[in-house]
Structures are given as C-alpha cells and as structure tokens.
Amino acid sequence: MALFKRKTAAKPGEWYYCLHHRQVEEGPECPAKDRFGPYATRDEAEHAMETARERNLQWENDARWTDSTDGSDGARGEN
C-alpha cells in the first residue's frame, strides 16, 4: 500500500505551471512539488515565473522581513 500516491482531482478551468516540464497544464498533471498553481486562466499560468520573480523582489525589499536593528536600511550586505 503506497502512501500519498493518490492523484489530486482536477477541477475544470484550473491551470498550473509545471516547473519540471516548463509548460502550462490544465489540471494537475505533475506532482505538487513540481508545479505552481492553480491559476484561474491559462494566461495567468503562462506568467507564473514572472509573477514569482516579482513577488520575490517585493519580499526581499520589504522592510518587515529584514533583521536590521542598527538603523541601516536593511539591505543585504550593508551594515
């Protein structure tokens, strides 16, 4: 008996971006560890990597996530 092998049921209109195949898929075809989503539209899924880059930049530059207590601007490598 295999644990955690049950495939996720796809819902109509859910789109995913597969990190392994680097392509958009309708419904979860690949394992969750290899995909972003779900997205409401194919277009949103096609821009998944761009969206992730933009969010990462926002988080990296968010003052709430810095550990700076010395009054610096919190940028990495600057003290």
Side-chain angles (χ1 to χ4, degrees):
M1 173 196 252
L3 294 176
F4 307 110
K5 290 289 184 176
R6 185 175 50 159
K7 189 174 180 180
T8 305
K11 294 180 183 174
E14 285 188 339
W15 295 90
Y16 295 83
Y17 182 81
C18 176
L19 300 166
H20 180 73
H21 297 112
R22 297 181 181 167
Q23 66 183 20
V24 173
E25 301 172 345
E26 185 173 14
E29 295 295 321
C30 293
K33 68 179 182 68
D34 293 331
R35 68 177 189 251
F36 286 159
Y39 295 94
T41 66
R42 180 179 186 89
D43 188 57
E44 287 180 29
E46 287 173 348
H47 293 96
M49 294 302 293
E50 181 181 324
T51 301
R53 276 191 293 276
E54 290 171 359
R55 289 179 180 167
N56 284 344
L57 284 173
Q58 289 172 354
W59 292 331
E60 288 172 3
N61 295 313
D62 190 330
R64 295 175 294 177
W65 294 100
T66 61
D67 292 332
S68 178
T69 58
D70 62 0
S72 69
D73 65 0
R76 292 180 184 179
E78 296 179 20
N79 287 342

